[in-house]
Each structure stands twice: as structure tokens, then as C-alpha cells.
Amino acid sequence: MSFRAREMYKKVVRRLGGEGKLPAELMKSVKDILPDSNVVMGRAKRGIFAGRHIRFGNKVSEDGGNKSRRSWKPNVQEKRLFSYVHDQHIRVKVTTHALRCIDKAGGIDEYLLKTPYNKMDTEMGIVWKANIEKMYSDLAEIEVGFFPPEVEAKIKKGLDEVRAAKRDFRREGRRALAKQSQLEASSVGDDQTSEVIDTKQVFAAKV
């Protein structure tokens, strides 16, 4: 294993929680398939570039045909991609080529699962791929129980009754609050009218 592959393997293990917390088969596959000699630019380590790198060439002048060296950088965009496995949006820098590959695969999770480790080129992609494979393996061990249609109908009916009861309770509460506010407003109005009558009586007595 080359120095770069060994460093990538250490980062993967450290980010996923350590050597003892991961399946041995998963980490063995990661160790065997890590790239040995592929050189990746530092910018691509912070995103998913799908094999796109800086290209070099010549800039040719129109008049004399003079050539000067230049480079073409990949078209990198910062996007929010939704991961169904993590159940959240992931903000990542991707190239337009990687976006087309993700759309073709059907999502970021499917793209990471279908892409081999030796074509990821970045520690971020390798970590996400290993994490998604780990979560899929954990989901496969969960036992899922299914109810007969009659039981499902009863459960749905019970939930509907609970929702209806909550709705009726809220409606009664709103009615009680409205009635209380009306009573308070009427009592305030009665007090004001009684005060007006008292002032009229006092004024008539003085006259």
C-alpha cells in the first residue's frame, strides 16, 4: 500500500469511529481497493469531482500563433444534495460532470454505492461510501414485521378516532375561550354603564 493510500485508510477509519467499531469485511475491502498511485489535486479532496482534474495546454495567439502555457480548471459548484440514508441535505462541492453522474445514478446514495473505491479519488467520497455501506448493513439486520390487512385497518381506524378526538377537544377549547372572552367583555360593558348611571345620579342630586 502506498503512502497516499495508507493515509486515506487512516482518515477513513478515524472518521467512521475507529477500527473496532467497523465490520472487518468492510475495512478489508476498503484497504484492498484504495488507489495506489492516482494523483489528485488538493482541491478535489474537499468534494466530489468524478475524475475531473486541472487540464493544461497552450494559449495560441491569433496573429502570430505564439503559444503560452495555460490551464483549465473544472467547473465546480456548491450544491445541497439530499441523502435518503442520512435523511438530511449534504452540502458539497461537485463538478457539473459529477452532477450528471449523480442524476443518472438516481441520487447521491446510489452514486456512492455504484462507484468503486478506486474511482472515488477523494477521502470525502470514500468516507461517505463506507458510511452508507455500513448503514445499509445495519438496516439489513433490522427485523421488520408486517400486519395482516384486517389489523392494519383496525390500527388506521384507531388512529383516525384519536385524531378526531383531538380535533374535537381543540374545537371545544376554542369555543370555551371565545365564550369566556365574551363574558369578560360583557362584564366590562356592564361596569361602564353602571358607572355612567351613578355619575348621572350624582349630577342630578347636585342640581
Side-chain angles (χ1 to χ4, degrees):
M1 183 182 292
S2 64
F3 174 77
R4 177 175 174 271
R6 188 165 58 252
E7 293 298 320
M8 290 175 67
Y9 177 77
K10 290 180 181 178
K11 288 183 180 179
V12 170
V13 173
R14 185 168 60 253
R15 291 184 185 180
L16 291 180
E19 189 80 30
K21 298 181 180 179
L22 301 172
E25 297 81 5
L26 174 61
M27 299 317 300
K28 185 177 183 302
S29 63
V30 173
K31 186 183 293 185
D32 295 338
I33 307 175
L34 281 175
D36 289 333
S37 61
N38 192 8
V39 179
V40 180
M41 56 182 174
R43 187 184 179 196
K45 295 179 181 179
R46 300 187 296 272
I48 298 176
F49 280 33
R52 291 296 184 261
H53 304 283
I54 300 176
R55 293 186 298 171
F56 299 94
N58 296 322
K59 181 174 67 176
V60 182
S61 63
E62 296 181 358
D63 298 334
N66 299 322
K67 297 180 180 180
S68 58
R69 298 295 293 174
R70 63 155 295 180
S71 62
W72 288 269
K73 294 182 179 179
N75 186 6
V76 181
Q77 306 290 331
E78 186 173 358
K79 296 291 184 180
R80 290 174 68 249
L81 303 175
F82 185 76
S83 174
Y84 289 97
V85 177
H86 295 88
D87 195 17
Q88 64 180 1
H89 282 88
I90 299 173
R91 187 177 295 275
V92 63
K93 293 181 179 180
V94 293
T95 59
T96 53
H97 175 68
L99 282 177
R100 289 193 296 271
C101 294
I102 291 171
D103 292 338
K104 186 177 180 180
I108 184 66
D109 301 330
E110 288 77 7
Y111 171 75
L112 293 174
L113 290 173
K114 292 177 182 178
T115 305
Y117 280 101
N118 57 357
K119 292 185 179 180
M120 275 297 170
D121 298 334
T122 62
E123 290 84 355
M124 180 183 291
I126 292 174
V127 169
W128 283 356
K129 180 178 175 62
N131 195 5
I132 288 175
E133 288 185 353
K134 178 187 174 184
M135 294 182 72
Y136 265 107
S137 62
D138 294 340
L139 289 174
E141 296 177 357
I142 297 176
E143 295 182 359
V144 180
F146 296 96
F147 296 101
E150 298 81 7
V151 178
E152 289 185 358
K154 291 181 180 179
I155 293 173
K156 185 178 179 181
K157 184 178 179 180
L159 293 175
D160 293 339
E161 291 177 355
V162 171
R163 294 192 190 97
K166 288 182 178 180
R167 191 161 52 247
D168 295 338
F169 180 76
R170 294 194 191 99
R171 189 181 297 112
E172 293 296 331
R174 287 194 294 268
R175 288 178 181 174
L177 289 175
K179 189 175 181 180
Q180 184 178 0
S181 61
Q182 289 178 359
L183 291 174
E184 291 177 355
S186 62
S187 63
V188 171
D190 294 339
D191 294 338
Q192 291 178 353
T193 53
S194 62
E195 289 178 359
V196 171
I197 293 171
D198 294 338
T199 53
K200 286 182 179 180
Q201 292 176 357
V202 171
F203 181 75
K206 288 182 179 180
V207 173

